Amino acid sequence: MYFLLYSHNVVVSGKDKAAICDLQHARVMYIPNAFTAVLEKLKTMEVNDVKNSLFQNNPDLLEQYLAKLIDHKMGRYVDDPESFPELDFSYHFPGIIHSAVMEIDFEGYDPVPVITDLDHCGCRHLELRIKTGTSNLSRLQELLDIWEENMVQSIDILWEDGRTNEKEAEDLYQMFQKINSVTVCNAPVEKEGTPVRFTNYSLQELERRGFKADKLILDMKYYCESLRYNTTYHQKAAIDYSGNIKNIIFDPNSFGNVNQNRLSDIVNSSEFQRFWTVNADRIEDVKDSPLRHVTYNPFPVYEKDGKYFINHLN
């Protein structure tokens, strides 16, 4: 009789302890680091053989551990472990840019060529930040008509002009199928609980409230990407109100401007992709954490003396 974790449960070792991350039910169970080697042995050795080999002095201890895992529905006994192959944790995306942030005020740059370029890069998800008021609503609708016909699958709109009224925001949301949410910032009256949201906070305040270093993303896709890449930078791009091309919208560093450069040329450059492969295992702040591959990190990374650190923007 063998014992296996369910395939969607992954074991990550840290400095002081390890974690079993349940990527299907979004749960975490902490275990001693020493037990990770036991779980690895159990993949190819029968439970009794592992007990006789590693638990001679305390044979009941292994049974207690396994009973706890079964009780939490983390694993099960099996007769034939070869019938339960491990999942493929490689990451694939058929494009150069997966998601992007665009700031638009219809003054700093022409957004249409940028939309076209992002489409050529394979962009699927877009965060659209709008500073202009509803006087430009028709121009925004023209852009959304373009997005309706290209590869973008979902759009989250953040409206910085609190004068946008509820009917205008609701009509926009209902008009375009790809809009996932609309958030109106600086609103005089708050409204929550629907995809069309009004908040008293400014966009900057709302953004900082989302800077949570302890937020977990227990998701298969996120985990697979994190194993090899930096999820903050990898296949992400941002264009600010002036047309500057960045990795992250609030990072002061830029790599060009869409008024002078083609976005696709910039995002394909080695300079722009510098931090794409600096994954959590290489960042000093998090490399010892057993949750490093499931922790949301929205912050910039910087290099110092050949090591990588997180700028928490305090």
Side-chain angles (χ1 to χ4, degrees), residues 14 19 32 88 112 115-116 132 142 186 192 202 214 230 234 238 254 309:
D88 179 6
V112 174
I115 294 172
T116 301
T132 181
E142 291 173 4
N186 302 302
E192 305 282 348
S202 69
D214 59 349
N230 184 301
H234 181 236
S254 63
F309 302 88

Side-chain angles (χ1 to χ4, degrees), residues 87-92 224-225 227-228:
L87 295 177
D88 179 6
F89 290 113
S90 57
Y91 178 83
H92 303 285
C224 291
E225 184 178 13
L227 287 178
R228 291 187 58 192

Side-chain angles (χ1 to χ4, degrees), residues 228-247:
R228 291 187 58 192
Y229 302 106
N230 184 301
T231 53
T232 305
Y233 287 82
H234 181 236
Q235 296 183 325
K236 311 293 194 304
I239 301 91
D240 70 11
Y241 287 117
S242 299
N244 296 312
I245 304 167
K246 303 180 176 185
N247 291 127

Side-chain angles (χ1 to χ4, degrees), residues 9 23 30 119 121 134 149 186 202 208 222 246-247 294:
N9 293 329
L23 302 178
Y30 291 104
D119 190 45
C121 291
T134 55
E149 301 299 323
N186 302 302
S202 69
R208 287 197 173 275
Y222 188 88
K246 303 180 176 185
N247 291 127
V294 294

Side-chain angles (χ1 to χ4, degrees), residues 45-100:
M45 291 177 62
E46 291 197 32
V47 173
N48 284 335
D49 292 337
V50 173
K51 186 186 299 182
N52 294 331
S53 174
L54 302 177
F55 292 85
Q56 303 97 326
N57 297 328
N58 193 351
D60 293 334
L61 185 59
L62 179 59
E63 297 292 347
Q64 292 170 8
Y65 271 123
L66 300 187
K68 182 177 180 181
L69 291 173
I70 292 173
D71 185 52
H72 286 80
K73 299 182 179 179
M74 290 287 198
R76 75 293 203 196
Y77 288 102
V78 301
D79 293 319
D80 182 10
E82 294 183 357
S83 299
F84 302 89
E86 295 185 358
L87 295 177
D88 179 6
F89 290 113
S90 57
Y91 178 83
H92 303 285
F93 174 71
I96 191 66
I97 295 297
H98 177 267
S99 59

